[in-house]
């Protein structure tokens, strides 16, 4: 039974774990958790040990006399007040230190990426390169990245568990998160704040690349998005639209896109995406999912919608 339980802790079976940190930020939180756990284990062993000793050493017997009545012991009360206070102090020191470290601002060499939370997808912007991605955060390993975050609608929480702790994302307010990945690979992320009907599907991936490979990717993506030949339209549809309209455009929750003549007019698409649609009897409304999108992202989505759902693919 123990072997089966431990098998469920495998990172291959559950990759979205915070117990195997892959960045400096994540290790700060992991250190605080370890210290707290060790103190908690010590307290548990001592308290449960004393309890078991008292149960068996002083258990009642039929011929026991009436126990001596006491009304407090100053020495004991001082001891059991001081010991918990010391334990809390020992936990507080690494905790407060970790709070200051994780809230510090990184240096000027950090790569700054804008993160925008939407219902129900993540938008990542690389302002220096003019690149936008949907649900795919690509970063260089070995270099600190600073995520400058806000929400386009409701409160979200960006959580890349292998790299950093959760950080809430608010409308009208900026929050920041930084970390430096020390491993390459593809890792999951998640919205950790309930934000609506498709909250569970508000996922992201974090891809850490070698620094040189990242620079090549960023330059190639900038050229492709400028020329309109990137996958930005498909990525945006999968992130922003498919949660309601379905990957095949058949309208799982929202309206049917497949063959919808509304898609023939780019201006109409822009108006709907930027302003949304009010609900009508028998029909759900649509939030303004793209009210703050950059023009190239809207253009890419429009081209993808017309190609896939209006012109037969």
């Amino acid at each position: 039974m123990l072997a089966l339980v431990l098998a469920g802790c495998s990172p291959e079976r559950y990759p979205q774990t915070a117990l195997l940190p892959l960045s400096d930020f994540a290790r700060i939180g992991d250190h605080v958790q370890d210290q707290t756990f060790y103190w908690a284990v010590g307290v548990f062993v001592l308290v449960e040990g004393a309890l078991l000793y008292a149960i068996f050493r002083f258990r009642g017997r039929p011929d026991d006399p009436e126990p001596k009545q006491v009304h407090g012991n100053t020495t004991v009360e001082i001891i059991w007040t001081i010991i918990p206070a010391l334990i809390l102090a020992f936990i507080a020191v690494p905790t407060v230190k970790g709070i200051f470290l994780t809230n510090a601002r990184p240096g000027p060499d950090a790569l700054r990426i804008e993160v925008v939370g939407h219902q129900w997808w993540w938008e990542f912007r690389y302002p220096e390169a003019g690149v936008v991605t949907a649900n795919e955060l690509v970063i260089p390993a070995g270099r600190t990245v600073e995520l400058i975050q806000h929400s386009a609608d409701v409160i979200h929480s960006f959580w890349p568990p292998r790299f950093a702790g959760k950080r809430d994302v608010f409308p009208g307010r900026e929050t920041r998160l930084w970390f430096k990945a020390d491993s390459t690979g593809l890792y999951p992320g998640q919205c950790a704040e309930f934000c609506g009907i498709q909250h569970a599907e508000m996922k992201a991936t974090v891809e850490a690349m070698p620094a040189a490979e990242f620079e090549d990717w960023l330059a190639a993506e900038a050229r492709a998005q400028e020329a309109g030949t990137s996958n930005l339209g498909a990525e945006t549809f999968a992130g922003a639209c498919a949660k309601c309209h379905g990957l095949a455009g058949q309208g799982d929750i929202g309206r049917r896109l497949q063959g919808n003549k509304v898609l023939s007019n780019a201006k109409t698409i822009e108006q709907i995406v930027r302003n949304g649609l009010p609900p009508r009897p028998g029909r759900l409304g649509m939030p303004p999912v793209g009210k703050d999108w950059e023009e190239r992202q809207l253009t890419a989505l429009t081209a993808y919608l017309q190609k896939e759902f209006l012109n037969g693919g």
Side-chain angles (χ1 to χ4, degrees):
M1 287 295 294
L2 181 60
L4 290 175
V5 171
L6 292 176
C9 300
S10 167
E12 286 73 25
R13 295 178 58 86
Y14 183 59
Q16 196 159 300
T17 176
L19 301 179
L20 297 172
L22 293 177
S23 76
D24 44 3
F25 188 112
R27 275 189 292 274
I28 294 171
D30 189 62
H31 173 71
V32 173
Q33 177 172 277
D34 287 347
Q35 295 299 309
T36 304
F37 177 75
Y38 296 148
W39 280 107
V41 169
V43 170
F44 175 82
V45 171
L46 291 175
V47 171
E48 293 302 316
L51 177 62
L52 292 174
Y53 174 78
I55 288 174
F56 290 100
R57 174 66 177 82
F58 302 105
R59 64 187 184 276
R61 294 175 175 84
D63 57 347
D64 282 348
E66 184 72 19
K68 180 183 178 180
Q69 301 300 304
V70 295
H71 299 281
N73 185 307
T74 302
T75 302
V76 172
E77 291 177 2
I78 291 174
I79 291 173
W80 71 38
T81 300
I82 291 177
I83 291 177
L86 290 174
I87 293 173
L88 291 177
F90 291 141
I91 294 174
V93 170
T95 300
V96 173
K97 181 180 178 182
I99 290 172
F100 279 100
L101 287 174
T102 55
N103 282 280
R105 292 288 299 275
D109 294 333
L111 173 66
R112 284 165 175 79
I113 303 172
E114 296 177 14
V115 179
V116 185
H118 300 267
Q119 289 178 307
W120 292 272
W121 63 288
W122 295 103
E123 180 183 1
F124 302 107
R125 300 174 180 173
Y126 300 77
E128 294 181 4
V131 169
V132 181
T133 65
N135 291 330
E136 296 180 2
L137 175 61
V138 183
I139 59 173
R143 180 183 177 186
T144 299
V145 296
E146 183 179 22
L147 307 182
I148 304 167
Q149 307 177 137
H150 73 276
S151 170
D153 35 59
V154 300
I155 297 176
H156 303 281
S157 183
F158 184 63
W159 183 39
R162 302 295 296 274
F163 298 107
K166 303 170 185 177
R167 190 61 56 93
D168 282 354
V169 182
F170 303 92
R173 174 182 164 189
E174 183 180 279
T175 58
R176 293 174 181 258
L177 181 67
W178 65 266
F179 60 87
K180 180 169 66 175
D182 53 28
S183 298
T184 59
L186 191 65
Y187 303 94
Q190 179 72 46
C191 176
E193 181 78 28
F194 181 73
C195 55
I197 190 171
Q198 292 285 3
H199 161 70
E201 295 300 322
M202 190 169 172
K203 303 174 183 178
T205 59
V206 181
E207 184 174 4
M209 298 179 174
E213 185 177 334
F214 170 78
E215 294 298 334
D216 292 341
W217 170 85
L218 192 63
E221 190 67 18
R223 291 192 297 270
Q225 291 191 14
E226 183 69 31
T229 58
S230 72
N231 292 325
L232 181 59
E235 293 173 1
T236 301
F237 176 79
C241 310
K243 301 291 194 308
C244 295
H245 295 285
L247 286 170
Q250 298 294 341
D252 294 352
I253 296 177
R255 299 180 184 179
R256 175 189 175 97
L257 295 178
Q258 191 70 52
N260 195 322
K261 297 302 181 182
V262 170
L263 301 181
S264 62
N265 191 316
K267 287 294 183 183
T268 301
I269 295 175
E270 179 178 6
Q271 181 179 3
I272 293 173
V273 169
R274 292 203 186 279
N275 302 323
L277 289 172
R280 297 179 181 178
R283 283 188 174 183
L284 295 173
M286 175 177 161
V289 294
K291 60 183 178 182
D292 60 348
W293 286 3
E294 295 185 1
E295 193 63 35
R296 68 172 59 186
Q297 189 169 12
L298 184 60
T299 300
L301 176 65
T302 300
Y304 178 81
L305 291 173
Q306 292 177 338
K307 175 177 180 293
E308 294 296 320
F309 303 122
L310 184 63
N311 299 328

